Amino acid sequence: MRLIRRITALIAALAAGCAMTVAIAPSAVAADWPTCNAWSWDQVLGQADSFARVPSVGQFTGRINCQLKLGDFDNTGVAVLQWLSLNTCHGAGLEVDGDYGPLTSNAVKFIQAGSHLPPADGVYEPGTRRFALRWAAWHFPGETPIGCQFVR
């Protein structure tokens, strides 16, 4: 029985590793992601009771696998990225205007390059969200800020 549990755990770990490989695919395939246009809560990595606001497809949908790129404008998802990640956690000093212009793109590109996340193309996508950007996070209940964290 113990051997079966260990084999099951190993298979689950391998499956999780395969899922992670897909999640960190290069931004070259980012065109396949829908455009983020709102925000949803996402869980802080390793903390079941802490959350961050991240760009999503639709408000409070949890559809956080989406992209933002140069030319997306008047967009709530861009504003959340600018405010709660690039400015608050990375000190970018951007105007929070909801426009993914050259300054926002360059800020994302700079953070991607510093995290060694290829390619550093300035496109916000799931790999960038998870492995390059930190987000202003809150501890629930009670909305206690806990600083800048990575999300799942």
Side-chain angles (χ1 to χ4, degrees):
M1 194 59 144
R2 220 182 232 178
L3 179 60
I4 292 174
R5 284 188 198 145
R6 287 184 180 179
I7 291 171
T8 303
L10 177 61
I11 291 170
L14 288 172
C18 290
M20 181 181 285
T21 301
V22 171
I24 61 172
S27 294
V29 296
D32 295 331
W33 297 109
T35 300
C36 311
N37 58 13
W39 66 270
S40 294
W41 291 106
D42 192 21
Q43 187 175 356
V44 169
L45 193 61
Q47 299 183 35
D49 60 350
S50 300
F51 298 87
R53 294 176 178 118
V54 298
S56 66
V57 180
Q59 189 77 24
F60 305 123
T61 62
R63 293 182 57 204
I64 58 175
N65 288 330
C66 54
Q67 75 173 359
L68 293 165
K69 63 186 183 313
L70 197 60
D72 290 336
F73 62 94
D74 195 22
N75 183 314
T76 301
V78 174
V80 166
L81 171 66
Q82 291 169 328
W83 173 39
L84 295 174
S85 180
L86 298 177
N87 285 355
T88 302
C89 295
H90 295 281
L94 299 169
E95 179 181 349
V96 179
D97 58 7
D99 293 344
Y100 206 100
L103 296 177
T104 300
S105 179
N106 286 339
V108 170
K109 190 180 299 185
F110 180 80
I111 294 164
Q112 288 170 325
S115 70
H116 307 292
L117 183 69
D121 58 4
V123 175
Y124 169 87
E125 44 76 42
T128 299
R129 179 193 76 244
R130 292 184 66 200
F131 301 107
L133 297 174
R134 288 173 289 128
W135 298 86
W138 288 266
H139 178 75
F140 290 144
E143 288 277 334
T144 305
I146 61 169
C148 295
Q149 307 288 324
F150 285 99
V151 295
R152 64 175 176 85

